[in-house]
Amino acid sequence: MGRRSGILEFAVLGLLRESPMHGYELRKRLNTSLGVFRAFSYGSLYPCLKALVQCGWLVEESGPEPRETAGQSAQLSGRRAKIVYRLTGEGKERFEELLAQTGPDAWEDEHFGIRFAFFGQTSRDVRMRVLEGRRSRLEERLAKMRASLARTRERLDDYTLELQRHGMESVEREVRWLNELIESERAGHDRRDAAEESAEYRAEQAGGQTRHRDADSSAASGEHSPGGTSGPDPSGETDK
């Protein structure tokens, strides 16, 4: 698959991991939740769905029409609206495989937004690698933009210069945003580590207290056992 269709494959698998959907519902989610797909149409989506079905990652099932198209299915989507797409076990494995990838493609402009949209399903280590990779890529871009502006600013008119500055400011804002996200991820990890250590400490303390109580209980039982201590002779006889 090409770069664009590869992004669509990832997004479709990710959305269907949440729940089965009609093609119309999928398109709506792609348009509203993942803005990069605003221009995608049925003509782009259905070939992708068919390819995923052929790979064994999706299955087609009959289902009720989506409420958005009730009474209009014949005009809007015909029989297609009656097909529900569901992720298979192999499809879940494929999505997990894509989700774990942290190479340069995950940092690029087209891919990063989609990857970020599924960060809730992504492990912390992978999130950190993607965020740090994206930051590194933008810092490289920013350095090139600054160097280019320093070389050419004397030859630029005011409007072109402002456009260059606007581009730089946009990249700088995203770098600051990424710094905040990375620090938040690290702080969250530190808080989780501290919470786990505290829980382990409390468990150890509770276990120690339980052992002490058991030992005290055993000692008390020994004091009251028939052979535990010597008491008066029950016969009442004394040595003469």
Side-chain angles (χ1 to χ4, degrees):
M1 288 188 178
R3 289 171 60 89
R4 186 77 172 180
S5 58
I7 304 170
L8 182 58
E9 170 195 331
F10 175 80
V12 167
L13 293 176
L15 290 175
L16 290 177
R17 188 187 186 193
E18 299 174 6
S19 65
M21 296 184 198
H22 295 276
Y24 176 85
E25 293 168 325
L26 263 174
R27 184 188 180 209
K28 185 176 179 182
R29 288 291 304 277
L30 289 168
N31 287 339
T32 58
S33 302
L34 309 173
V36 70
F37 292 105
R38 286 190 305 271
F40 268 49
S41 65
Y42 282 117
S44 302
L45 177 58
Y46 277 97
C48 177
L49 290 171
K50 294 297 181 184
L52 297 178
V53 169
Q54 291 173 358
C55 289
W57 298 333
L58 303 182
V59 292
E60 295 177 336
E61 298 175 339
S62 298
E65 296 179 7
R67 283 175 294 181
E68 292 85 347
T69 60
Q72 306 177 38
S73 58
Q75 298 177 7
L76 295 180
S77 54
R79 298 179 62 184
R80 288 180 178 175
K82 298 179 182 179
I83 297 175
V84 173
Y85 294 90
R86 180 175 59 81
L87 201 63
T88 64
E90 291 82 0
K92 291 178 182 177
E93 292 177 1
R94 172 59 176 169
F95 180 68
E96 293 291 342
E97 176 187 331
L98 295 174
L99 204 62
Q101 293 179 1
T102 59
D105 275 352
W107 315 335
E108 299 296 342
D109 293 344
E110 282 190 336
H111 286 246
F112 176 73
I114 302 303
R115 290 301 304 270
F116 190 80
F118 291 99
F119 262 23
Q121 304 180 45
T122 307
S123 69
R124 177 192 171 276
D125 290 343
V126 172
R127 291 197 304 266
M128 285 293 292
R129 287 197 292 271
V130 173
L131 290 173
E132 289 173 343
R134 175 66 175 173
R135 181 176 63 180
S136 175
R137 181 57 51 87
L138 289 181
E139 287 174 341
E140 292 174 2
R141 184 183 302 174
L142 191 58
K144 291 178 181 178
M145 293 173 73
R146 287 169 174 163
S148 175
L149 184 61
R151 290 194 307 269
T152 61
R153 65 183 306 153
E154 298 299 329
R155 300 193 299 272
L156 299 177
D157 61 64
D158 291 343
Y159 296 103
T160 304
L161 185 60
E162 284 302 314
L163 186 62
Q164 293 283 341
R165 287 173 176 166
H166 174 70
M168 287 178 53
E169 289 172 358
S170 297
V171 177
E172 288 170 346
R173 281 195 300 271
E174 186 170 349
V175 170
R176 289 195 298 269
W177 175 65
L178 290 167
N179 286 334
E180 292 172 359
L181 288 172
I182 290 169
E183 288 305 313
S184 178
E185 288 284 346
R186 287 174 178 162
H189 183 63
D190 293 342
R191 285 195 297 271
R192 285 192 294 271
D193 285 347
E196 290 172 1
E197 291 174 1
S198 178
E200 290 175 1
Y201 174 76
R202 288 196 302 269
E204 290 176 359
Q205 291 295 100
Q209 291 173 1
T210 300
R211 287 192 294 273
H212 287 313
R213 284 197 299 270
D214 290 344
D216 293 343
S217 178
S218 297
S221 298
E223 291 174 357
H224 295 290
S225 63
T229 58
S230 57
D233 187 343
S235 66
E237 297 181 356
T238 57
D239 294 336
K240 293 183 180 179

